[in-house]
Amino acid sequence: MADDDGASSIPNSIPPHPSDSSLHKKHASVIERLANRNQTRLENSITRRSESDSSSSSTSSFLVRFSDSKRAIESDLAQCRLTPPEPSQVRSHLDGISASISDLEKLVAETSYSLPSYEVRASLKSISELKQSLEDLNSELLPKKKFSFKNKGTKKDTKSESKDLGLGNAGSMLTNKQQQASYIARDSPGIRDKDGEVLVKNFKGSDVGEFTISGLSSCEVKLIGSVRALFIHKLRNCKVYTGPVMGSILIDDVEGCTFAMASHQIRIHNAKNSDFYLRVRSRPIIEDSSSVRFAPYCVSYEGIEEDLKDASLGEETGNWENVDDFRWLRAVQSPNWSILAEGERIDTVKISSTEG
């Protein structure tokens, strides 16, 4: 009985030790952290998958549009070759095809930032082939003697005009878009044929459309305010600093120059040994260029921040270093351009409003 009484005096359960409660809390905390971590990983995975799906959808949409346009252009080229249009309509047909190629090129430029690099290279190669086919068709349907420019001036003046237009001996070597730009550049307001001068234009408070800078040597050009489009042709050893351009900039035939400019689109053709300080909404495009370097935009004047914002260029996009070389289709970096080392960059160019 004593044993029974002794047994009955033993508690039915042993109270938990204080350290056991602490361990339980730590264990619960660890489980909670693991659960939160897993939830975060799951959410991140869903986000990445959504972004991937979106990117894939964007690429697929581009490829469909590109392929449809490419087929239509190839069909037009084939039709022109098999059944040439009437002589009076040849030029308009070829101009139409050229405009379609330019639109296709613009599509690639505008969407290149969201496309895989190999898709960009393949697209640019296809465009290059279409351009070559158009040039071949130009040669067949528009012999050079029929494509030359005629005027009442001397032979020397005719060549000079062709050269000024950027057409050389055969205008068909340029796309329709480039030819249009050259014509506009010839007639639009601008600065032309100067040597060793400092040239300042203040567009504040004015509505300027296209503006041209052409035929300069050893000059410094400063543009305050905004213009809608800027055309630059045949500059040697010049410095050009501009406010925002609300549309596009087309640069052709420059050497030994420094440019600081902001624009939605910038296309650079036949540039050598030149530096470009840019702020641009889309990728800068270079063609037939070498030894060109790029750095971020570095111009300042009173009211420039407001001008940049009005031109939808208020924020830095980083595209100044995302350069597309339309003549370089390999997977490795193009040798024709590079990032300008920070130690070699110029300081911010400050333009005084009194200069204009």
Side-chain angles (χ1 to χ4, degrees):
M1 292 297 295
D3 291 341
D4 292 339
D5 292 341
S8 63
S9 65
I10 298 176
N12 293 328
S13 62
I14 301 176
H17 192 276
S19 61
D20 292 340
S21 176
S22 176
L23 288 174
H24 178 72
K25 291 181 179 179
K26 288 181 179 180
H27 181 66
S29 177
V30 169
I31 292 176
E32 183 179 1
R33 285 200 303 270
L34 289 174
N36 290 337
R37 185 181 302 173
N38 288 334
Q39 181 64 26
T40 301
R41 287 175 177 173
L42 178 59
E43 292 173 354
N44 290 340
S45 176
I46 293 173
T47 300
R48 286 194 299 269
R49 188 180 300 113
S50 176
E51 292 174 349
S52 176
D53 291 344
S54 176
S55 176
S56 177
S57 175
S58 176
T59 300
S60 298
S61 175
F62 164 80
L63 291 176
V64 170
R65 292 176 62 191
F66 186 90
S67 298
D68 289 346
S69 299
K70 180 173 176 286
R71 280 194 296 269
I73 293 169
E74 289 172 337
S75 176
D76 289 342
L77 288 167
Q79 185 64 32
C80 269
R81 184 169 279 110
L82 292 174
T83 310
E86 295 295 325
S88 60
Q89 298 178 351
V90 169
R91 173 60 61 80
S92 62
H93 274 70
L94 296 180
D95 284 350
I97 296 174
S98 182
S100 296
I101 295 175
S102 294
D103 289 341
L104 192 60
E105 199 169 36
K106 182 179 178 181
L107 172 64
V108 175
E110 290 177 345
T111 57
S112 59
Y113 68 93
S114 63
L115 297 174
S117 58
Y118 62 86
E119 294 292 2
V120 174
R121 290 193 299 271
S123 300
L124 296 181
K125 183 179 179 181
S126 295
I127 290 173
S128 180
E129 292 170 350
L130 290 174
K131 286 182 178 180
Q132 185 60 53
S133 296
L134 179 59
E135 290 172 11
D136 293 343
L137 190 59
N138 259 317
S139 299
E140 294 174 19
L141 302 182
L142 292 173
K144 290 182 181 180
K145 64 180 181 179
K146 294 183 180 179
F147 199 69
S148 62
F149 290 88
K150 298 179 180 180
N151 59 29
K152 297 181 180 180
T154 63
K155 184 177 181 181
K156 180 178 180 180
D157 291 339
T158 302
K159 288 183 177 180
S160 175
E161 181 180 357
S162 296
K163 188 174 183 181
D164 181 60
L165 290 173
L167 298 175
N169 292 325
S172 60
M173 294 301 290
L174 286 178
T175 65
N176 183 60
K177 185 177 181 180
Q178 288 171 314
Q179 289 181 30
Q180 290 175 350
S182 297
Y183 283 111
I184 294 172
R186 183 182 65 171
D187 297 330
S188 65
I191 300 171
R192 296 175 175 82
D193 303 322
K194 304 291 184 181
D195 187 1
E197 298 186 31
V198 176
L199 306 155
V200 182
K201 292 287 184 180
N202 192 333
F203 301 122
K204 285 283 194 177
S206 59
D207 183 16
V208 181
E210 295 86 6
F211 193 81
T212 297
I213 302 173
S214 177
L216 307 188
S217 176
S218 301
C219 290
E220 182 172 338
V221 179
K222 300 177 181 179
L223 304 183
I224 302 172
S226 302
V227 297
R228 283 199 292 268
L230 181 63
F231 304 101
I232 297 175
H233 174 65
K234 198 176 181 182
L235 270 58
R236 299 291 182 268
N237 303 312
C238 292
K239 298 176 182 179
V240 179
Y241 310 121
T242 80
V245 176
M246 294 179 283
S248 300
I249 297 175
L250 176 63
I251 300 174
D252 178 60
D253 190 12
V254 298
E255 184 171 358
C257 296
T258 298
F259 299 91
M261 46 188 55
S263 180
H264 284 241
Q265 297 179 348
I266 296 178
R267 184 157 186 164
I268 302 162
H269 180 261
N270 193 23
K272 299 177 182 177
N273 301 311
S274 296
D275 293 338
F276 297 86
Y277 296 79
L278 306 179
R279 178 177 294 186
V280 58
R281 291 288 298 273
S282 58
R283 292 172 181 256
I285 295 171
I286 65 172
E287 292 180 287
D288 300 318
S289 300
S290 61
S291 300
V292 292
R293 304 185 297 180
F294 293 83
Y297 187 56
C298 61
V299 172
S300 175
Y301 59 77
E302 185 177 355
I304 191 172
E305 294 300 331
E306 183 178 351
D307 287 347
L308 289 168
K309 184 180 294 185
D310 289 343
S312 298
L313 291 164
E315 297 182 1
E316 174 59 68
T317 64
N319 276 329
W320 62 267
E321 60 181 342
N322 297 325
V323 181
D324 284 332
D325 186 347
F326 272 23
R327 298 300 185 189
W328 185 260
L329 304 177
R330 301 179 186 178
V332 297
Q333 162 73 33
S334 166
N336 298 318
W337 70 275
S338 61
I339 300 299
L340 183 56
E342 291 190 19
E344 299 180 49
R345 298 175 185 174
I346 62 175
D347 294 329
T348 298
V349 179
K350 298 181 179 179
I351 308 175
S352 171
S353 60
T354 60
E355 294 183 61

